[in-house]
Amino acid sequence: MPQLDHCCLCSLLCPAVPVSDETSLERCTRRQAWQKQSLHAPHSIQDDSTLASFAREVVDLLDVDQSLLWVDAADVNTMRAAVTLAQQLGCTLHVGQGTGAEVVKRVTASEGWLSTTLAEVSARADLVITLGDSILSEAPLLADRFLHRAGAAAGEVVQLEWMHIGSPSSTPPKGCSQVIELGRTAWYAELTDLLLALRSGQASLLENSPLTPLYAKLQTARYAVWLWETDEFVDSIDELTVRRLAALARWQTEQARGSLLCLDSNLGRVTAEETLLWLTGCKTTARWDGAQWHSPPSLREYSMDDWRQAFAARLILRSVSTVEPLPDLDASILIVPAGQALTASAGDRRVIRVPAVGESSCGLLFRGDRGTVATVRQACAAGPA
């Protein structure tokens, strides 16, 4: 039976052996949800003879005009194989992206990126502001592993202070020094007022604003970080909010240091996208024309319906376990990790189960904060336990 090496269900990539009881995977609500989902899902993988037969089916499916290899989440080694296959067969290779990821990309492409990593947040930041309730549910052990400790910087101890901006109905997170209750629709206006007050040095501009406590904190912070989960911002209106956050981080950097950190709970998606960029020079979508890789401009704004209609043959690949459901692409073949639960919509589609990265296979996997490469070692001994 496979033995867990690292948990790949969120961007924290927690080790199986906890540092303390607070960081134990047994306390992680996200892992509990995955275990519940996979309770009745097959955990066995196909043998070599079955895989050989299945490989022929994959080639027959994709070796036609208008075929699509959709990668939902993958490790580096799996993504390398997918790129090779797409080049040989001439099919379109696409890494499925959340809308929130696209919003952040547009902002960073036009304004630059003041980024950091979780390790640096834990070691050097003295003020962390988390935004939205999804960061608390998508990365349940975030506070225990990275926010509930003092860091060391330049030989001195820096006490990290954590503030959270969430909806009035949200449950206050344990260990947070202050929770600012603010409805989602008011974020842009309030952040704009905060930025104007900081730039002018006039705290009076924030009269009766729920963000007033942040004014003094940001004025004195040596290293402030704004932290959220990718799918917190999903549309063009949210893009304005992300631009305000970038402006706030830039103002902070003029005084001391400010950073933004967007965590993607589907870290296999992050890994797949970065690997595709390395190997092809294309972001998100790549197609081999016989001489070079290119990214068809016509596919950049495609909806899920557009993908279904434009490609006659579709295959979905996922090699990293996640609690998120597979995209509703109406694919003929599904390649998923052992233990991956499938919804009723999967119907009678051809399903092949592969070793789940982080539990029974080896490969390189990026963390969702794009800051660290972790080696997921071979953890499955041959034969039954």
Side-chain angles (χ1 to χ4, degrees):
M1 293 295 290
Q3 297 177 355
L4 181 66
D5 182 54
H6 285 79
C7 177
C8 300
L9 295 178
C10 81
S11 55
L12 303 185
L13 201 64
C14 297
V17 180
V19 177
S20 64
D21 291 340
E22 287 73 22
T23 60
S24 172
L25 289 179
E26 295 179 359
R27 299 180 63 252
C28 179
T29 55
R30 190 173 180 85
R31 186 156 191 85
Q32 291 169 4
W34 178 81
Q35 289 174 330
K36 183 177 181 180
Q37 287 182 11
S38 63
L39 186 62
H40 302 292
H43 286 260
S44 58
I45 60 176
Q46 279 73 12
D47 56 28
D48 291 343
S49 60
T50 304
L51 287 175
S53 173
F54 178 74
R56 185 71 258 168
E57 294 182 42
V58 171
V59 171
D60 291 342
L61 174 69
L62 297 180
D63 194 15
V64 297
D65 292 336
Q66 298 303 314
S67 59
L68 173 66
L69 174 52
W70 179 292
V71 180
D72 177 67
D75 59 288
V76 172
N77 289 343
T78 299
M79 196 60 194
R80 286 182 182 276
V83 169
T84 300
L85 180 64
Q87 183 174 357
Q88 292 176 348
L89 300 181
C91 64
T92 299
L93 180 60
H94 177 74
V95 179
Q97 292 292 299
T99 308
E102 293 299 323
V103 169
V104 173
K105 288 178 190 174
R106 287 197 295 268
V107 175
T108 56
S110 61
E111 299 192 12
W113 184 240
L114 300 164
S115 187
T116 185
T117 67
L118 284 173
E120 185 171 321
V121 168
S122 180
R124 298 184 178 276
D126 60 345
L127 176 63
V128 173
I129 306 109
T130 51
L131 298 114
D133 301 330
S134 61
I135 187 67
L136 305 178
S137 60
E138 299 300 318
L141 298 183
L142 171 66
D144 292 331
R145 289 196 60 204
F146 295 98
L147 304 184
H148 289 172
R149 65 183 67 182
E156 57 183 300
V157 174
V158 179
Q159 184 64 44
L160 186 152
E161 184 171 3
W162 172 28
M163 302 179 72
H164 178 71
I165 300 176
S167 61
S169 59
S170 62
T171 302
K174 179 183 177 182
C176 184
S177 58
Q178 186 170 355
V179 176
I180 299 175
E181 296 184 350
L182 185 62
R184 187 69 177 74
T185 56
W187 283 15
Y188 174 75
E190 294 294 343
L191 289 172
T192 300
D193 291 343
L194 176 62
L195 178 62
L196 293 175
L198 289 169
R199 284 176 172 174
S200 64
Q202 300 179 39
S204 58
L205 295 178
L206 290 174
E207 186 177 0
N208 299 323
S209 170
L211 297 186
T212 299
L214 268 180
Y215 177 86
K217 297 293 184 182
L218 290 171
Q219 288 277 16
T220 58
R222 296 167 56 184
Y223 187 4
V225 177
W226 299 84
L227 175 63
W228 71 93
E229 201 274 330
T230 300
D231 291 331
E232 190 65 47
F233 302 112
V234 297
D235 55 30
S236 56
I237 300 300
D238 289 337
E239 183 177 339
L240 298 176
T241 302
V242 177
R243 292 187 184 278
R244 282 291 176 263
L245 294 173
L248 285 163
R250 188 166 289 108
W251 174 89
Q252 188 74 34
T253 299
E254 294 173 357
Q255 322 303 318
R257 186 175 180 186
S259 293
L260 308 177
L261 181 54
C262 173
L263 295 183
D264 194 329
S265 58
N266 187 347
L267 64 131
R269 178 173 61 190
V270 176
T271 303
E273 181 187 9
E274 292 296 321
T275 308
L276 181 68
L277 181 60
W278 293 343
L279 299 178
T280 68
C282 300
K283 288 185 176 181
T284 308
T285 308
R287 181 184 294 165
W288 180 255
D289 62 7
Q292 63 182 359
W293 290 100
H294 69 284
S295 182
S298 60
L299 303 179
R300 291 175 185 170
E301 302 297 329
Y302 263 29
S303 66
M304 193 61 70
D305 286 338
D306 293 330
W307 287 108
R308 283 193 292 262
Q309 295 172 9
F311 293 91
R314 300 173 297 277
L315 180 149
I316 293 178
L317 168 63
R318 172 186 287 182
S319 67
V320 180
S321 298
T322 172
V323 298
E324 306 300 331
L326 290 171
D328 186 15
L329 195 63
D330 194 22
S332 301
I333 297 178
L334 308 176
I335 303 177
V336 298
Q340 178 70 55
L342 300 176
T343 62
S345 61
D348 57 355
R349 292 176 179 81
R350 187 75 162 91
V351 178
I352 189 76
R353 294 188 179 274
V354 297
V357 170
E359 301 197 32
S360 60
S361 70
C362 59
L364 295 178
L365 190 67
F366 274 106
R367 274 203 344 201
D369 62 9
R370 300 172 184 255
T372 306
V373 178
T375 301
V376 183
R377 299 183 299 272
Q378 178 74 28
C380 182

